[in-house]
């Protein structure tokens, strides 16, 4: 069980107040924190680690769905106030804290932390948007995710967080930018953590989720947006896994969050009511903000196709994943065929390989 008192060493001058039992004290600390973050020029890594420790317990202590949701919004939006020189470390220490504390979260508190992860991902994308999707910033951010919660091999990263991020990655990306400007998003670069998972995970469930919830989903969204102009007819061509394939493995990798319940896990009806309230408020907030995901988001299909080819050919790609990545690549190739110049270049490369052999 998590010991609330362990937050007392958090970042001065906010640590004790952020984790206080009194809501008014916590609210004042959060309000002061926003001003402090926006005026401070630089943060040390230790300061940020202590700060997120205190903020974690601030969320832990929050009651009532409305309060929890408002707090998640406030804390996540701090990403836009942190100085550029520290923002990536601010993001990295958030994920480091979440991953370190995740197994101590009881089932009744999971929903509010899932919502916090969702809003934090959204504001991370919004930060990249405010930086005009600068490729250097995008690479810095995706490296944070690859080395953190979406690392394919680290045992320190909870699968519960991995699964949730995979499920919501496209949703939050689509919410972060107007559809009219979605073509400006370098999606092949933003999806770098997903390519990393495709190539390096040995968890069949993780691979399947990335293939279906990210890459197959992009094709289906694009095809739906093109309507009658689409040549895409048979969705079964995009299915990387057979229905029954890896069924046993999926059972073995069942979300470990189900095993987190502690002695005081409480009434299941109360948990369901809490989850329902959170879902309703999230839908209401998205509706008010006009941030509903669009099926016509302009994904860089050619760039994604090329990255899939790179993953399939990479010698470091897990062998059991290679064939399946190639299936995804061919699905993208069928959807957006190589043009004549690319065909010629590909043929020249093959001839060079043959000559070299």
């Amino acid at each position: 069980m998590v010991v609330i008192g362990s937050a007392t060493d958090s970042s001065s001058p906010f640590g004790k107040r952020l984790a206080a039992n009194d809501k008014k004290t916590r609210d004042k600390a959060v309000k002061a924190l926003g001003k402090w973050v926006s005026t401070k020029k630089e943060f040390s890594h230790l300061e940020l680690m202590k700060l997120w420790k205190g903020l974690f317990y601030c969320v832990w202590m929050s009651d009532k769905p409305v309060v929890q949701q408002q707090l998640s919004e406030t804390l996540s939006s701090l990403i836009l106030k942190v100085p550029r020189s520290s923002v990536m470390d601010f993001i990295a220490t958030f994920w480091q804290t979440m991953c370190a504390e995740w197994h101590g979260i009881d089932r009744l508190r999971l929903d509010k932390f899932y919502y916090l992860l969702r809003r934090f991902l959204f504001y991370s994308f919004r930060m990249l948007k405010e930086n005009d999707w600068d490729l250097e910033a995008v690479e810095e951010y995706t490296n944070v995710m690859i080395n953190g919660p979406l690392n394919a091999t680290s045992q320190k990263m909870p699968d519960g967080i991995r699964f949730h991020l995979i499920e919501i990655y496209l949703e939050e990306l689509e919410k972060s930018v107007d559809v009219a400007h979605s073509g400006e998003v370098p999606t092949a670069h933003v999806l770098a953590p997903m390519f990393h998972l495709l190539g390096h995970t040995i968890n069949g469930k993780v691979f399947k989720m990335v293939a279906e919830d990210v890459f197959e989903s992009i094709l289906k969204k694009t095809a739906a947006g093109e309507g009658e102009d689409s040549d895409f007819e048979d969705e079964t061509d995009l299915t990387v896994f057979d229905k029954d394939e890896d069924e046993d493995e999926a059972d073995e990798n069942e979300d470990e969050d189900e095993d987190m319940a502690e002695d005081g896990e409480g009434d299941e009806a109360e948990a369901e009511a809490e989850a329902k309230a959170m879902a309703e408020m999230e839908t209401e907030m998205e509706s008010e903000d006009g941030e509903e995901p669009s099926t016509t988001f302009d994904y860089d299909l050619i760039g994604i196709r090329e990255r899939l080819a790179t993953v399939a050919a990479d010698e470091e790609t897990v062998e059991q994943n290679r064939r399946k990545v190639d299936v995804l690549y061919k699905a993208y190739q069928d959807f957006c065929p190589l043009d004549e110049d690319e065909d010629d270049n590909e043929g020249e490369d093959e001839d060079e390989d043959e000559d070299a052999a």
Side-chain angles (χ1 to χ4, degrees):
M1 177 176 291
V2 175
V3 180
I4 302 300
S6 64
T8 57
D9 63 345
S10 295
S11 184
S12 176
F14 301 102
K16 293 181 180 180
R17 288 187 286 159
L18 287 170
N21 290 322
D22 179 56
K23 181 180 180 299
K24 289 184 179 180
T25 301
R26 296 198 307 271
D27 289 346
K28 289 180 180 179
V30 170
K31 185 176 181 180
L33 176 64
K35 295 180 181 179
W36 182 66
V37 166
S38 62
T39 56
K40 191 172 173 63
K41 294 182 178 179
E42 194 171 358
F43 295 86
S44 70
H45 180 77
L46 182 60
E47 276 182 313
L48 291 174
M49 285 298 296
K50 289 181 176 180
L51 177 61
W52 275 118
K53 186 78 168 181
L55 292 174
F56 175 86
Y57 289 110
C58 187
V59 176
W60 177 281
M61 297 290 288
S62 66
D63 294 321
K64 309 299 182 184
V66 172
V67 173
Q68 295 162 2
Q69 195 162 14
Q70 291 174 343
L71 179 59
S72 292
E73 193 75 13
T74 299
L75 299 187
S76 299
S77 65
L78 291 175
I79 293 175
L80 305 181
K81 298 180 180 180
V82 175
R84 175 68 181 86
S85 60
S86 298
V87 68
M88 295 303 171
D89 200 20
F90 182 81
I91 293 171
T93 50
F94 167 81
W95 290 114
Q96 188 174 345
T97 301
M98 291 301 112
C99 289
E101 303 289 345
W102 193 256
H103 291 295
I105 302 173
D106 59 89
R107 191 170 65 182
L108 293 179
R109 287 184 171 90
L110 274 176
D111 281 337
K112 64 181 175 183
F113 280 101
Y114 275 135
Y115 185 76
L116 174 62
L117 302 190
R118 179 182 284 273
R119 297 313 291 167
F120 199 85
L121 182 63
F122 167 80
Y123 277 105
S124 296
F125 289 139
R126 183 59 67 87
M127 177 273 297
L128 294 176
K129 174 180 176 289
E130 292 197 356
N131 281 276
D132 297 321
W133 300 102
D134 175 71
L135 289 183
E136 183 178 347
V138 170
E139 184 177 3
E140 285 184 70
Y141 172 71
T142 55
N143 283 338
V144 166
M145 300 303 284
I146 289 171
N147 293 320
L150 290 175
N151 187 278
T153 57
S154 175
Q155 298 298 315
K156 295 180 180 180
M157 308 305 169
D159 275 340
I161 291 181
R162 280 196 191 99
F163 296 156
H164 190 59
L165 286 176
I166 293 168
E167 288 175 347
I168 67 174
Y169 205 83
L170 294 187
E171 292 177 22
E172 300 310 313
L173 176 61
E174 290 178 359
K175 292 175 188 175
S176 70
V177 60
D178 294 334
V179 171
H181 300 288
S182 59
E184 301 169 8
V185 181
T187 46
H189 295 273
V190 175
L191 292 173
M194 300 301 155
F195 291 111
H196 165 76
L197 289 172
L198 283 183
H200 296 86
T201 186
I202 58 173
N203 185 320
K205 183 175 180 180
V206 169
F207 184 95
K208 184 176 181 181
M209 288 184 68
V210 174
E212 295 179 351
D213 293 354
V214 178
F215 293 103
E216 292 179 10
S217 179
I218 288 173
L219 287 184
K220 292 173 182 177
K221 286 170 180 282
T222 305
E226 291 183 0
E228 294 180 359
D229 296 329
S230 175
D231 294 326
F232 181 63
E233 297 178 355
D234 189 1
E235 291 190 357
T236 59
D237 291 341
L238 297 178
T239 302
V240 177
F241 291 83
D242 293 331
K243 272 189 176 181
D244 298 327
E245 188 177 352
D246 296 327
E247 191 175 52
D248 293 336
E249 184 173 5
D251 290 338
E252 292 173 4
N253 288 304
E254 194 69 35
D255 194 343
E256 78 272 14
D257 295 333
E258 294 296 327
D259 298 325
M260 288 182 185
E262 301 177 11
D263 293 338
E265 63 184 12
D267 186 7
E268 291 187 6
E270 181 182 348
E272 290 176 3
E274 178 93 356
K276 183 178 180 181
M278 290 289 286
E280 289 175 352
M281 280 182 295
E282 182 179 341
T283 300
E284 182 180 346
M285 176 175 286
E286 290 174 356
S287 176
E288 290 175 356
D289 293 344
E291 294 179 341
E292 287 292 339
S294 170
T295 57
T296 58
F297 194 93
D298 187 9
Y299 285 99
D300 178 14
L301 299 183
I302 293 176
I304 294 172
R305 183 193 69 198
E306 293 172 351
R307 291 290 293 271
L308 287 170
T310 299
V311 174
D314 192 339
E315 61 181 15
E316 294 186 3
T317 293
V318 175
E319 200 58 40
Q320 69 191 39
N321 297 350
R322 194 181 305 279
R323 175 187 61 81
K324 298 168 185 175
V325 174
D326 193 52
V327 170
L328 276 175
Y329 165 73
K330 289 177 180 175
Y332 273 80
Q333 189 178 38
D334 290 342
F335 194 87
C336 47
L338 297 170
D339 58 33
E340 291 183 4
D341 291 338
E342 288 179 300
D343 280 330
D344 291 341
N345 291 335
E346 194 170 89
E348 290 175 6
D349 292 340
E350 290 177 358
D351 290 339
E352 290 176 4
D353 291 339
E354 291 176 2
D355 292 340

